[in-house]
Amino acid sequence: MAEINSYTVNFGPQHPAAHGVLRLVLEMEGEVVRRADPHIGLLHRATEKLAETKPYNQSIGYMDRLDYVSMMCNEHAYVLAIEKLLGVTPPERAQYIRVMFDEITRILNHLLWIGAHGLDVGAMTVFLYAFKEREELMDCYEAVSGARMHATYYRPGGVYRDLPATMPKYRSSEFRSEKNLKQMNEDREGNMLDFIEGFCSRFLVTVDEIETLLTDNRIWKQRLVDVAIVSPERALQLGFTGPMLRGSGVEWDLRRKRPYEVYDRMEFDIPVGTNGDCYDRYLIRMEELRQSVRIIRQCVSWLRRNDGPVMIQDHKVAPPSREEMKDDMESLIHHFKLFTEGYCPPAGEVYASIEAPKGEFGAYIVSDGANKPYRLKLRAPGFAHMAAMDELAKGHMLADVVTIMGTLDIVFGEVDR
Amino acid sequence: MAISSERLLERVNALLGELVADSACAYDEVEIEVAPENLYAAMQQLRDAESLQFEQLLDIAGVDYAAYGQDEWTTDEASNTGFSRGVDGFSTGRLGLTGIYGVQEVTSNTARRFAAVYHLLSVTNNLRLRVRCFAADDDMPMLDSVMPIWASANWQEREAFDLYGILFEGHPDLRRILTDYGFVGHPFRKDFPLIGNVEVRYDETKGRVVYEPVSIEPRVLVPRVIRDDNRYADPAAAEEPKNG
């Protein structure tokens, strides 16, 4: 038999652990990875070029489709950049709503991540726990925007509309008994804030349950501890942000260091790792779930006490209400101009970034004064993380590649854009 | 706590001196421009200087300035042509269309057409800086690779090369990254049509996927408009009643 020193394995593009469409060319020596060459771009939709051909507001929907598990955070960065360019600040209530939904989005993202990561590494149950909770949060998305995922809820100047007074309820059907139905609708009797508050207390129990399943689990630790160790210096060199950077012990969180919206009024802790391995990053993300709940609770209590507008009244940027439009000529003109042409921000260049669940998500807009961005560049955290794949996987076993993919928290919508 | 953008610019100027070709402070952000021959030296200093320590390169954005400031819908005077003048026009978005649409040469912004914009971040000092560098030659835009300074430049430079055709000298592995295997052209250039040049379909007789010139026409739904809205430039002017 011929002596085979090294061979190449094609991992993906259709592979459940590839988290979407990644073609990973692995040069193996036995079971040890010598070189990993990710071929990305299979989901490239030229979002940035599409945005160049549309008025600013029409691209908000594209942002949801970038990192399609943390939808509103992407919108947030884009909308912040536009607001910076226009020089408008959303009303306080809108800022609180945005912060609340950013954190809801963080929970959504981390839940999908823990579900998929667990599944990759062999823990099936976590996936089911996580998705059960995700469903409730998606109901919040739906209640507020009408869409379960691609919300297009944040707009320059605020949010599309105020929180609904009632939470949508399950309807009776022949497959549900009255008793069951009542039980399912128990949390949905009040308004949306009641529902979110109820979710928060229930969810902390779920986080503990997930941790019980994993944190001290022998198999989980065997798969994660000491895999893909990144030193703080390397993490900075490689352009890591978010939990990937904090896992290596660098305390860097834009919510604290460069507070946007009302994060400076929020109380929360930033978990930081010590070893920089997959297990640390797991612990950090689990703690972030709890911290997000903390922030959401603060937002809920503020939103309960304070009413007010959720959109600025400048009709050069934000459309007037339907009622105004029906009996005021000026409003009708504003409405028409906004939806056929949009607004023209001044010429200039801005960069706005937020702490998305995966790291720093930024939007860089070059404007030449037209109603469309001249150039839009999106800084996706996953792109930098994916680029480090070769360095992280080198010297590890083939099975660890799956763990590393999980810990990177990759979503190809944002990597490929 | 982060220092103000003016202070940051002072520090950058003090450090780089002659290397800074141009600088701007706007929207609480600092932007400097360096000449391509000074790019590497400037970047090295920005990372290593004690007062700045930009240890992270967040992003490299390629920009094509060829159609900067061009619009499809003049707003200076009234006209009796309608929507079609924006839709059928042969301007931005369809600038210098190649392939089946004929060729219109790009002449605007010569030698200031392609730029790479580097977003730097200092975690230690909580600072941000944007560095812009224009490539000298439009036909073969070339800049020095900053990969030895920041490892994260690897894929970011590959992306700028793929989408804009900016070559990075010294990059060890400058392959295409986002586009398809065997893709022709650099799709984010302003003279590359939005709908592309080729389309693919499965040919039953040949039994394989074939590439053909696109059959759909480029169409713009909302014309590009630049309005001289002085209300942003000067808040006081907006208060005065408009004349005419």
Side-chain angles (χ1 to χ4, degrees), chain A residues 51 53-59 78 340-343 371-373, chain B residues 222:
Chain A
T53 62
K54 288 181 167 55
Y56 284 91
N57 269 17
Q58 290 185 16
S59 302
Y78 178 64
T340 52
E341 185 181 290
Y343 42 82
N371 57 341
K372 306 169 181 183
Chain B
V222 180

Side-chain angles (χ1 to χ4, degrees), chain A residues 24-188:
Chain A
L24 192 56
V25 181
L26 296 167
E27 242 168 64
M28 311 286 297
E29 207 173 285
E31 229 191 302
V32 178
V33 178
R34 283 280 159 254
R35 184 168 165 267
D37 182 15
H39 289 207
I40 63 162
L42 286 97
L43 200 61
H44 179 59
R45 295 145 297 176
T47 306
E48 294 155 353
K49 183 142 179 141
L50 282 169
E52 286 171 14
T53 62
K54 288 181 167 55
Y56 284 91
N57 269 17
Q58 290 185 16
S59 302
I60 302 174
Y62 282 129
M63 299 303 128
D64 293 308
R65 286 149 181 87
L66 288 165
D67 178 356
Y68 44 76
V69 295
S70 41
M71 298 70 80
M72 286 200 194
C73 285
N74 309 338
E75 288 173 22
H76 200 170
Y78 178 64
V79 166
L80 270 183
I82 298 173
E83 283 172 354
K84 212 169 176 182
L85 204 55
L86 290 168
V88 299
T89 317
E92 209 175 7
R93 189 174 164 86
Q95 297 195 16
Y96 271 95
I97 293 176
R98 281 185 185 178
V99 168
M100 185 171 82
F101 269 96
D102 269 15
E103 295 308 318
I104 287 178
T105 308
R106 196 177 311 278
I107 294 179
L108 274 173
N109 177 77
H110 283 3
L111 278 177
L112 186 120
W113 162 80
I114 188 64
H117 194 21
L119 204 58
D120 288 349
V121 177
M124 178 77 201
T125 325
V126 187
F127 189 79
L128 304 172
Y129 279 43
F131 269 66
K132 187 172 149 281
E133 301 298 324
R134 259 174 75 84
E135 204 55 41
E136 303 211 335
L137 290 177
M138 286 198 181
D139 283 349
C140 292
Y141 259 54
E142 187 174 352
V144 87
S145 73
R148 275 161 49 83
M149 293 184 81
H150 303 303
T152 328
Y153 180 51
Y154 296 2
R155 304 286 166 91
V159 292
Y160 176 59
R161 60 177 175 189
D162 207 345
L163 303 173
T166 54
M167 196 65 194
K169 293 192 182 69
Y170 287 103
R171 267 175 267 166
S172 66
S173 85
E174 52 186 300
F175 304 107
R176 286 187 197 117
S177 69
E178 277 303 309
K179 196 180 149 208
N180 247 338
L181 188 71
K182 209 173 158 209
Q183 203 179 2
M184 286 166 86
N185 282 334
E186 214 173 9
D187 307 310
R188 293 162 187 261

Side-chain angles (χ1 to χ4, degrees), chain A residues 248-263:
Chain A
S248 300
V250 182
E251 198 206 332
W252 179 259
D253 191 318
L254 289 173
R255 292 176 292 172
R256 177 66 51 79
K257 302 285 180 186
R258 286 267 164 137
Y260 47 96
E261 310 293 7
V262 287
Y263 272 114

